[in-house]
Each structure stands twice: as structure tokens, then as C-alpha cells.
Amino acid sequence: MSRLFLIAAAGCALVGAASCREKPELVLRDTEGRAFRTECNGSGQCQLEQTSGPAAPPGKSVAVLRARASLVGVCDVASGSSEPERGDCRALLCERDEGCPPAHDLSHGSCIGGYCSEPSHELGVDDAVMLCLAGTGLGRASPEQVERYALALNCGSPCRVPTPCRPR
């Protein structure tokens, strides 16, 4: 009987070790209160599934992660298009590096100042747009969004996020 117990214990240990190596499911959150279940491969490509929060504007679907400058964002993409428009991306929020999507061959991303970031890139216009539109809802049609979008587009070189926008 003790031999059977040892075999069962060894089997449980192997199953337990395998499950410890599995990467926990990554849940991403953006500045508009949306949550996304995410599966990323070793090449840094991620599939998103929205699990809560407001739906994408009509004619758009949530499809892609983007890091065109320093911040990583989730973007709503027009049906039939593969590239999002600059104002249709919202920054991803985080508390630690493990809460951010990984870059190529890394186990996790980088969380800097509460945002998922690509630390090797400088702050750019796309970052200013995401920070200026943060918390204003999806799209960019309201008067507040139009004003903040215009402020962001004029962030200068080097880009400085305008004062009324979310800090970085």
C-alpha cells in the first residue's frame, strides 16, 4: 500500500509542477474601465477578449494592442481595417510589471507610473493622445474629446503632455 501511495504522490507532484509552470491568465484594464482577457504567445502577439466595460463605438471592434511610442494601448479598429486610428486607442493601466502584456520572448511587460509601457521608446504624440483622452469615454466625438485630441496633437517635439491631460 505504501508503494501505491508513493506513486500517487509522485503523480500529484508532477501535475502540480506542470500547473505551476503555466502562465496565469493576463487580464488587462484600460483607462475607460474596460477589462480584457489576454493570451500572448512567445513572439509578443496577443489575442484580446473584452470581458467587461463599455462596448466599442458602432462600426468598430476591439482588436489590437499597440505600442507606437512609450505607452501600450488597446485600440478599437474599424471593420475591414487592420490599423487603428490614433484617437481610437486607450492606455493600459497596471500596478506591476506582471499586469502588462509581454514584449518579444519576455514573460511580462513593463509597468511605469501606473501605465503599461515600452521603456525603450520616448513619449510621443500617440502617448499624449491616449493620456489626453483617458477617462473621456470611447471615440473622440464629444466636445471635450475634440479639444483634448487637438491639445495632444500639438504636444511639441519633444512631446510634453498638456496640463489638462492625465499625468505620466
Side-chain angles (χ1 to χ4, degrees), residues 69-72 109-112 116-122 168:
S70 179
L71 297 178
V72 179
S110 296
C111 181
I112 301 172
C116 292
S117 299
E118 172 50 60
S120 64
H121 297 135
E122 292 185 26
R168 168 91 206 279

Side-chain angles (χ1 to χ4, degrees), residues 9-167:
C12 288
L14 287 173
V15 169
S19 66
C20 289
R21 286 192 299 263
E22 289 180 16
K23 189 173 180 178
E25 183 178 275
L26 182 61
V27 176
L28 303 174
R29 300 187 190 289
D30 73 2
T31 58
E32 305 316 303
R34 298 183 293 179
F36 304 91
R37 185 174 332 169
T38 309
E39 290 183 27
C40 300
N41 63 25
S43 301
Q45 300 293 326
C46 300
Q47 296 292 321
L48 301 174
E49 177 188 350
Q50 185 172 345
T51 58
S52 66
K60 307 248 178 174
S61 63
V62 176
V64 295
L65 289 175
R66 283 289 183 262
R68 292 182 178 153
S70 179
L71 297 178
V72 179
V74 63
C75 304
D76 299 325
V77 178
S79 302
S81 176
S82 61
E83 283 298 313
E85 294 180 35
R86 183 175 271 157
D88 290 330
C89 299
R90 296 298 187 268
L92 293 175
L93 301 173
C94 57
E95 293 179 10
R96 351 179 258 289
D97 290 347
E98 294 78 17
C100 293
H104 185 70
D105 287 334
L106 298 176
S107 61
H108 54 74
S110 296
C111 181
I112 301 172
Y115 296 96
C116 292
S117 299
E118 172 50 60
S120 64
H121 297 135
E122 292 185 26
L123 191 70
V125 174
D126 289 309
D127 300 322
V129 168
M130 286 192 281
L131 291 170
C132 284
L133 293 178
T136 65
L138 300 175
R140 54 190 159 117
S142 76
E144 178 187 18
Q145 289 171 326
V146 169
E147 181 181 329
R148 286 175 170 250
Y149 186 71
L151 283 170
L153 291 178
N154 292 297
C155 70
S157 182
C159 182
R160 294 184 191 269
V161 178
T163 302
C165 302
R166 198 169 190 155

